[in-house]
Amino acid sequence: QILRGLIGLMHSLPIVLLVVCFTDEISKYTLMVIPGLIILCSTLFGIILMLGTVASRYRDIEQLTQMLTQFMFYMSPILWKPEMLGEGSGQLVALLNPFYYGLTIMREPLLGNAVPLRIWCVAICLMVISLFVGCIVYRRFRQRIPFWI
């Protein structure tokens, strides 16, 4: 399924680039979507390694993952902008959400805006942590996965 999603992304990417070329001028910030995509895919790969290994052992993780994904969809700034929350505790909802950083490093360059350095640093830290934890979990249990399936 991962490969199918990446193939779909590669088919859609030229269309997005054509739309950006004909509707808006490409700024130096627009090209930052490429490292953002690499960081986001690497972060998700680490999460997939961890969840895939755990889900092969515990079958209920799949339902839990679906429920958490839907919850995080509503808690992430997909349907709303973080500025709509106001200052203070409202901003805390966005800043504590790990999906906020992945969305921001993809959304802002596509809109032609600069991404703050703090967002890049947190996104890179999340990538390193997810890859590290995913590799540790997979390496620890990879010999047992055939017996669990």
Side-chain angles (χ1 to χ4, degrees), residues 122-140:
V122 172
I124 290 170
C125 288
L126 287 172
M127 176 191 71
V128 169
I129 290 169
S130 72
L131 284 173
F132 180 74
V133 171
C135 288
I136 294 292
V137 169
Y138 179 73
R139 184 177 299 167
R140 171 86 168 92

Side-chain angles (χ1 to χ4, degrees), residues 19-32:
V19 169
V20 168
C21 287
F22 288 117
T23 60
D24 199 17
E25 67 180 51
I26 296 180
S27 68
K28 59 183 176 183
Y29 303 122
T30 306
L31 297 176
M32 292 304 289

Side-chain angles (χ1 to χ4, degrees), residues 46-65:
I47 293 170
I48 289 168
L49 271 177
M50 182 186 62
L51 284 178
T53 304
V54 173
S56 66
R57 174 68 174 107
Y58 302 104
R59 302 290 179 193
D60 293 337
I61 295 294
E62 182 180 351
Q63 286 82 17
L64 179 66
T65 303

Side-chain angles (χ1 to χ4, degrees), residues 2-145:
I2 298 169
L3 186 59
R4 187 180 328 149
L6 285 175
I7 291 171
L9 174 70
M10 292 304 153
H11 282 94
S12 301
L13 199 58
I15 296 170
V16 171
L17 292 176
L18 284 174
V19 169
V20 168
C21 287
F22 288 117
T23 60
D24 199 17
E25 67 180 51
I26 296 180
S27 68
K28 59 183 176 183
Y29 303 122
T30 306
L31 297 176
M32 292 304 289
V33 78
I34 296 170
L37 182 64
I38 292 169
I39 291 171
L40 185 63
C41 286
S42 300
T43 303
L44 293 175
F45 181 72
I47 293 170
I48 289 168
L49 271 177
M50 182 186 62
L51 284 178
T53 304
V54 173
S56 66
R57 174 68 174 107
Y58 302 104
R59 302 290 179 193
D60 293 337
I61 295 294
E62 182 180 351
Q63 286 82 17
L64 179 66
T65 303
Q66 290 173 356
M67 181 194 65
L68 287 176
T69 302
Q70 184 177 13
F71 175 74
M72 292 305 287
F73 172 77
Y74 291 119
M75 295 303 293
S76 298
I78 296 171
L79 302 175
W80 46 271
K81 292 184 178 182
E83 296 83 28
M84 296 170 66
L85 297 175
E87 295 296 323
S89 63
Q91 285 287 331
L92 196 60
V93 170
L95 295 177
L96 291 178
N97 187 346
F99 294 122
Y100 166 72
Y101 301 99
L103 288 170
T104 303
I105 63 173
M106 291 299 295
R107 177 189 294 166
E108 293 301 320
L110 287 174
L111 294 174
N113 302 326
V115 178
L117 182 62
R118 176 181 55 86
I119 303 289
W120 284 109
C121 291
V122 172
I124 290 170
C125 288
L126 287 172
M127 176 191 71
V128 169
I129 290 169
S130 72
L131 284 173
F132 180 74
V133 171
C135 288
I136 294 292
V137 169
Y138 179 73
R139 184 177 299 167
R140 171 86 168 92
F141 297 110
R142 71 176 171 210
Q143 301 295 331
R144 299 180 191 167
I145 291 175

